[in-house]
Amino acid sequence: MNNFTNKKLLIVAPNFFTPIKDETLSISPHFSLVYVLIPQPLFPRSFLSIPSIREKYLWVSLAYPNTAKFYNTNLRFLHPRSIILPFNFMRKRTLEFFSKASSRKVSKNNLKVNLMHAHRLDYGYIGARLKEEYDVPLIITTHGSDVYDFPWRGKHEYSMIKYVLKHANHIIAISRREAKCLLSLGYPANKVSIIPNPVDTRLFRPLSQNRCRFMLGLPSNKKILLTVGTLTEIKGHTYLLEAVDSMSRARDDVILVIICLLYTSDAA
């Protein structure tokens, strides 16, 4: 990657959590400057007091601070803002509002970049709009539901994804299944690479089962069921809890452990 040391990269992402954060911090030393563009919804907080709205539109309550203060690197963070109201007709056009706000932010800061990298196929719409405006190569990394779910929600979403695929120079799929989905959407195979999400082996490495149980305070005489994932509806935790509840009536030697990401207002 040495030939990029004099180049500037623009990353478009929905957040700066793992794995996006880890990947960005790993590649940033190979560029002279890396801009991280994370759109923010302007959302009336009073709406969040309504339970049905809070449950369905919780994502808009996530606060992204001035992330730059957390990292002493060549990263520069941009947070274009757009009003998003908790109504389906407006929520369906969130990415269109975000793309306009992003274009204004890029123009206002007079950014000159050599490459764009969008995380998630749906956020690739923002990258595709910027590419059309600034004629900069666009790479996209898929992350799961943006391939399996988003394109099939309706005609509007499908047309947006087809627009993204038309403008993407290359797409990185994190699994063979995602690559297959991209091909089914008509994206050429020679423009798809399969690169799994990175793993920090300093944090995640094989240990003996007994040691893991001891470190986590888990009993040695129980069977452990483990699930890792965000607590969102698409992950299906409801079915898992129902199954475990049913199983616990027949046996008492099973423990369910749920590992999930907690979103906080000062998270980076």
Side-chain angles (χ1 to χ4, degrees):
M1 293 183 68
N2 291 333
N3 57 334
F4 287 103
T5 52
N6 294 320
K7 306 294 183 182
K8 296 178 181 178
L9 171 67
L10 173 64
I11 291 176
V12 179
N15 55 57
F16 202 63
F17 303 125
T18 298
I20 296 173
K21 180 183 73 173
D22 296 339
E23 181 182 309
T24 302
L25 292 175
S26 295
I27 66 175
S28 61
H30 299 281
F31 291 85
S32 63
L33 191 59
V34 177
Y35 297 102
V36 183
L37 188 148
I38 305 173
Q40 288 183 294
L42 283 176
F43 187 82
R45 298 286 169 157
S46 58
F47 280 108
L48 292 175
S49 62
I50 304 171
S52 60
I53 290 179
R54 184 173 64 249
E55 290 171 11
K56 192 172 184 181
Y57 300 94
L58 180 63
W59 66 276
V60 299
S61 69
L62 301 182
Y64 296 104
N66 178 15
T67 329
K69 68 182 180 182
F70 290 95
Y71 303 101
N72 184 25
T73 67
N74 61 337
L75 302 183
R76 302 292 182 271
F77 290 82
L78 304 169
H79 300 291
R81 297 171 177 268
S82 183
I83 294 176
I84 307 296
L85 296 177
F87 305 110
N88 280 336
F89 77 91
M90 197 169 188
R91 189 169 185 253
K92 285 173 72 71
R93 286 163 175 76
T94 295
L95 292 168
E96 295 170 52
F97 297 138
F98 278 171
S99 66
K100 291 177 182 178
S102 299
S103 179
R104 290 193 296 268
K105 179 68 76 171
V106 169
S107 177
K108 181 180 179 181
N109 287 272
N110 194 30
L111 301 189
K112 305 294 183 185
V113 299
N114 307 98
L115 178 67
M116 288 190 295
H117 185 178
H119 284 273
R120 292 184 57 89
L121 206 56
D122 44 2
Y123 273 71
Y125 181 81
I126 300 172
R129 286 293 188 190
L130 291 173
K131 177 190 174 179
E132 203 169 35
E133 189 171 352
Y134 295 99
D135 192 25
V136 177
L138 171 64
I139 297 173
I140 299 173
T141 295
T142 60
H143 285 267
S145 62
D146 53 319
V147 182
Y148 306 140
D149 174 57
F150 186 84
W152 320 110
R153 291 180 185 176
K155 292 181 179 179
H156 179 70
E157 289 82 359
Y158 185 80
S159 64
M160 290 181 73
I161 292 304
K162 293 297 283 186
Y163 170 81
V164 173
L165 297 178
K166 178 183 176 182
H167 288 83
N169 294 86
H170 199 87
I171 296 182
I172 299 170
I174 62 172
S175 69
R176 290 186 179 88
R177 184 183 172 196
E178 289 188 15
K180 252 185 185 178
C181 282
L182 290 169
L183 300 185
S184 72
L185 285 164
Y187 198 70
N190 64 340
K191 290 188 176 183
V192 178
S193 296
I194 301 174
I195 305 177
N197 279 332
V199 175
D200 187 344
T201 53
R202 294 170 298 179
L203 294 174
F204 301 99
R205 61 191 186 279
L207 295 174
S208 73
Q209 190 177 95
N210 288 336
R211 185 179 176 188
C212 289
R213 287 177 182 250
F214 175 77
M215 292 171 65
L216 296 172
L218 296 173
S220 59
N221 61 340
K222 302 279 187 179
K223 297 189 181 300
I224 308 297
L225 300 181
L226 174 68
T227 179
V228 182
T230 53
L231 295 180
T232 53
E233 184 178 358
I234 196 171
K235 298 293 186 181
H237 287 92
T238 301
Y239 309 110
L240 175 62
L241 292 172
E242 290 174 352
V244 171
D245 179 60
S246 177
M247 183 169 49
S248 66
R249 296 170 194 165
R251 54 191 300 172
D252 60 0
D253 63 339
V254 176
I255 293 178
L256 171 64
V257 177
I258 299 176
I259 298 178
C260 64
L261 177 65
L262 293 178
Y263 297 100
T264 62
S265 59
D266 59 350

